Amino acid sequence: MAVFLAVQTAFCIVPAASPEVRTAAISGVFDHLDIDGLLNDDESASIWAPLCHIRLYGTGGTEKYAEKMLAHAEDLVAREGFVTPTDLERTSIVLSMLGKCPQKLIDRAVFFSEDFDRQGLNAWIWALIAANCYGADASENALNTRESIAAHLLEKQLPDGGFTLIGDKADADMTAAAVYALAPMEGGDISAAVSAAVECLSELQLDSGGFMTMGVENCESAAQAVIAFCAAGVNDERLTRALDAVMTYRR
């Protein structure tokens, strides 16, 4: 989790921080995480740090990592029985970023999965993110499409515009993730849902500029909010304050 928080921080500071602060913070995070080791370690199947590195710097030097992740994908697809949906989804995302996501992986992860509800709304959200990253449409006989997944998310939206994994009160992490899953989609209903979710997220922003989940203010929640604001085109004090909150966790 600590690695995820650090990578989220590096990924999120790109839009608003000064070039000097941005460069120093991102370089510091990747040095701390030993990004070269993660990309070239035969055993590690790390996702978040390499994903952010690829997003920021491109696919150069990722050949060994791509081979490793393709082998990991083969293992996931070959497993019998239940495989955690988000394991499949995040592997699909990073391979899509590399331009190498196999059809059989995205099919099991998203288009022909019957397992989203076994993990909850989080699996539905990341299924849509995976499908958006993959880019190509589902086959005609698919169980799930980008549109059907988005429609399911809209059905789960709370009256205040937010989203939650458990209970009936909006959660900052889930609301933010739903925003950046839905933001690339088209349609008036989806646009309205994204706007309502952004408004809800704004209401959840603390006086510190940060965000909390499960009653605890933390770096990940602020980072998730920054991603959501950027995905929705928000570029005002809400973003700046959330970004400042993220940077308070830098060591």
Side-chain angles (χ1 to χ4, degrees):
M1 179 59 72
V3 170
F4 178 46
L5 297 184
V7 175
Q8 283 279 45
T9 303
F11 186 38
C12 291
I13 66 171
V14 173
S18 68
E20 294 80 11
V21 172
R22 177 182 65 197
T23 300
I26 292 173
S27 296
V29 170
F30 285 131
D31 287 346
H32 173 72
L33 296 174
D34 184 18
I35 188 64
D36 289 337
L38 291 176
L39 290 173
N40 293 288
D41 180 359
D42 290 332
E43 300 301 323
S44 173
S46 175
I47 298 291
W48 299 118
L51 173 64
C52 293
H53 196 269
I54 292 163
R55 177 70 183 273
L56 290 169
Y57 301 120
T59 59
T62 61
E63 294 80 7
K64 188 171 183 178
Y65 179 73
E67 292 178 3
K68 174 176 61 181
M69 294 312 301
L70 284 168
H72 181 61
E74 287 285 348
D75 175 65
L76 287 175
V77 171
R79 292 181 191 177
E80 297 182 1
F82 178 73
V83 177
T84 305
T86 50
D87 287 344
L88 293 159
E89 291 157 1
R90 64 173 178 258
T91 304
S92 300
I93 289 167
V94 74
L95 284 170
S96 292
M97 296 294 289
L98 289 164
K100 297 180 180 294
C101 184
Q103 183 70 47
K104 57 187 176 182
L105 174 61
I106 196 67
D107 279 347
R108 179 158 186 183
V110 179
F111 298 138
F112 288 89
S113 176
E114 297 179 325
D115 293 329
F116 299 154
D117 282 334
R118 295 182 65 175
Q119 194 175 3
L121 190 63
N122 204 40
W124 286 91
I125 288 172
W126 284 93
L128 183 54
I129 295 170
N132 286 336
C133 290
Y134 183 70
D137 292 332
S139 58
E140 291 184 2
N141 60 336
L143 297 177
N144 310 299
T145 65
R146 292 172 66 239
E147 292 73 20
S148 68
I149 297 170
H152 179 85
L153 293 182
L154 264 58
E155 291 176 359
K156 298 298 181 180
Q157 191 166 25
L158 300 172
D160 64 2
F163 292 82
T164 188
L165 185 63
I166 301 171
D168 57 4
K169 293 184 178 180
D171 173 75
D173 283 21
M174 295 299 294
T175 301
V179 167
Y180 59 78
L182 290 166
M185 303 290 290
E186 297 179 352
D189 290 347
I190 292 177
S191 295
V194 169
S195 295
V198 168
E199 184 61 29
C200 177
L201 190 63
S202 302
E203 292 294 326
L204 293 173
Q205 191 165 26
L206 305 172
D207 291 342
S208 65
F211 292 81
M212 67 170 62
T213 190
M214 298 184 182
V216 179
E217 184 175 0
N218 64 90
C219 181
E220 180 180 0
S221 295
Q224 297 271 28
V226 171
I227 296 175
F229 286 149
C230 291
V234 174
N235 188 20
D236 55 28
E237 66 172 7
R238 291 171 291 180
L239 175 61
T240 303
R241 292 175 62 232
L243 178 59
D244 288 344
V246 168
M247 293 298 287
T248 65
Y249 293 91
R250 185 184 178 205
R251 297 294 178 259

